[in-house]
């Protein structure tokens, strides 16, 4: 597929929505396997939370916060 996309014409909110749709499509693909470093990074972050050096919030809450910061 070599269809040009008018990504430059999208505003930030539209670009984020497009990325979310692409990620959902990719991650639901039966042939998709995340890279090894993803698991390593998740383990590192879990360790930081266990050690009380970091905290996290729910992904839906994080997306809401990001959208609220957009112009």
């Amino acid at each position: 597929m070599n269809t040009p996309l008018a990504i430059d014409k999208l505003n930030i909110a539209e670009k984020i929505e497009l990325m979310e749709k692409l990620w959902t499509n990719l991650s639901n693909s039966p042939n998709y396997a995340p890279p090894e470093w993803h698991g390593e990074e998740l383990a590192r972050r879990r360790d930081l939370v266990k050690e009380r050096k970091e905290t996290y919030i729910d992904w839906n809450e994080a997306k809401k916060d990001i959208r609220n910061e957009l112009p």
Side-chain angles (χ1 to χ4, degrees):
M1 177 177 151
N2 205 5
T3 305
L5 298 174
I7 294 172
D8 293 339
K9 294 180 180 176
L10 300 175
N11 64 40
I12 293 173
E14 292 168 330
K15 288 176 182 180
I16 291 172
E17 182 180 353
L18 176 59
M19 286 192 305
E20 288 176 349
K21 288 179 180 181
L22 285 169
W23 176 247
T24 298
N25 181 276
L26 175 63
S27 62
N28 289 328
S29 172
N31 298 327
Y32 173 73
E36 189 174 320
W37 69 266
H38 280 195
E40 294 166 0
E41 180 62 18
L42 289 172
R44 184 187 73 79
R45 292 179 185 196
R46 271 193 304 266
D47 290 344
L48 290 172
V49 170
K50 285 180 187 177
E51 296 167 5
R52 299 185 187 273
K53 294 179 181 176
E54 290 287 344
T55 60
Y56 61 90
I57 62 173
D58 176 76
W59 176 232
N60 289 324
E61 187 68 26
K63 288 191 290 188
K64 187 171 86 176
D65 290 349
I66 292 167
R67 287 187 178 110
N68 287 338
E69 292 178 12
L70 295 175

